[in-house]
Amino acid sequence: MRKIMILGGDGFCGWPTALHLSARGDDVTILDNFSRRDIDAELGIQSLTPIAEPDDRIAAWEEVSGRRLKMVRLDIAREPDRLMGLLDVARPDVIVHFAEQRAAPYSMRSADHKRYTVDNNVSGTHNLLATLAALELETHLVHLGTMGVYGYDGDGLEIPEGYLDVTVKDRDGRQFDRSVLYPTRPGSVYHLTKSIDQLLFQFYAQNDGLKITDLHQGIVWGTQTEQTRLHPALINRFDYDGDYGTVLNRFLMQAVAGHPLTVHGTGGQTRAFINIQDTVHCVALAIDNPPKGGERVKIINQVAEVHRVRDLAQLVAEVTGAEVEFVDNPRREAAENDLAVSNATFRALGLDPILLRDALLDETLETADKYLDRHDPDRIPATALWTSGNRPGIPKRVPGPRERRRAVS
Ligand code: NAD
Ligand code: USQ
């Protein structure tokens, strides 16, 4: 039985991962500052599915599984001393790090949201690394990174898993072989923080011998997993709003709501996708296959398949009869891109990914239909704009992240 800490374990990917690892017998503790719940209040949105209070989630899991999950409220970006104290006592075998602000549109709303995203994500990751180094722990750190660090203006060259082998010629014609981090080209402040994370990992692996796996995940779709289906209080988040809703879940929800599918621009953006059940499966595979101490950071692409946004809209329209609407693109991104991604490592470890053509589109549609009365149509449009100087269109219901902090300090 491994002792595992899940940072950000109250969120969309972290919660089902915590349940999966607990179900297979690991000793799991969740650390979360519940900022994602606060951001719901800030934006005046809510998950389409009703999310139980943290204590009720824990009680429901104990009831259906007979297993204990621990949950601690802690801000990894702002409480480094508490984090150090906790890790010194717990000395976990594995830490899975999901605890970052993860919406690209939210990270582009205003200067305040940009600063919050950078401060939260970069400080949180660095606090964790500095703590592991100071305590000289053998812990394996598994981080959830993103395919989006590489940007999306590619021409179809297959993106390798983290590193690029290059040969450079100097002035005298001598050749040098190097293996370098694949160049990043982030398209939002959120994606930028994940690019910075990569350098932090590289430094601490090389300087302190930390064991780190960085999972470069594509866009996650779906809601439920084997464990979250077991009790109504275990249900996972379903974000559909213009900031946190990811494209396929948004299209599925929009179809059920009778809203036209909001394709940005030409819909020529090509992206990588993975179902939430496979997110959970891949994290478990990464935990079971750690790098050795002193090895470079193990970077694995966590993706199942690649699709163009307008093709996804077409597919959802065919299944549901929904209309497709091409709306002005609020983001600054290439109108069309090609994308090819290697997922050789997880394939070799036995991943047989769930694909869109499998039955789970129906399950996501059914979930959206069941909770449709909780949706607010005003929260469907994406209003955060990438162009500087533009103000987001959603009135704030409560103060933004900085103002909230100032109010409590
Ligand atoms: P989420 O917002 O639902 O969950 C993140 C959790 O972390 C929340 O519960 C939040 O309260 C917590 N958190 C944030 N900052 C924290 C801090 N400073 N201290 C403690 N807890 C903190 O996001 P998610 O969709 O579950 O994503 C999890 C991770 O996976 C993120 O790092 C994200 O970048 C990555 N990822 C997500 C997707 C996706 O499509 N959802 C795709 C690729 C990568
Ligand atoms: N899009 C639409 N219509 C919509 C919503 C989105 O056309 O209604 C388009 C966007 O313009 C974009 C694409 O769909 O071109 C993907 O948008 P998204 O919101 O689904 O995904 P993204 O902003 O990239 O972010 C999500 C997660 C993030 C994760 C990332 C993985 O929120 O945490 O890192 O997916 S990846 O895209 O591989 O970088």
Side-chain angles (χ1 to χ4, degrees), residues 219 246-248 251 261-273 306-317 324-326 329 331 333-337 356:
I219 300 171
T246 49
V247 64
L248 180 53
F251 286 171
L261 310 185
T262 53
V263 174
H264 292 168
T266 61
Q269 309 84 15
T270 309
R271 295 288 184 274
F273 292 85
V306 161
H307 290 283
R308 204 173 287 275
V309 167
R310 63 170 171 264
D311 296 340
L312 278 185
Q314 193 55 42
L315 174 74
V316 174
V324 176
E325 188 182 9
F326 290 85
N329 195 340
R331 307 184 184 203
E333 57 188 359
E336 306 273 329
N337 72 287
L356 254 64

Side-chain angles (χ1 to χ4, degrees), residues 12 22 37 39 45 48 54 103 107 113 125 165 193 250 276:
F12 170 59
S22 176
R37 292 176 186 249
I39 290 173
I45 53 178
L48 195 62
S107 79
H113 292 85
T125 298
D165 294 329
T193 65
R250 268 167 69 72
I276 184 71

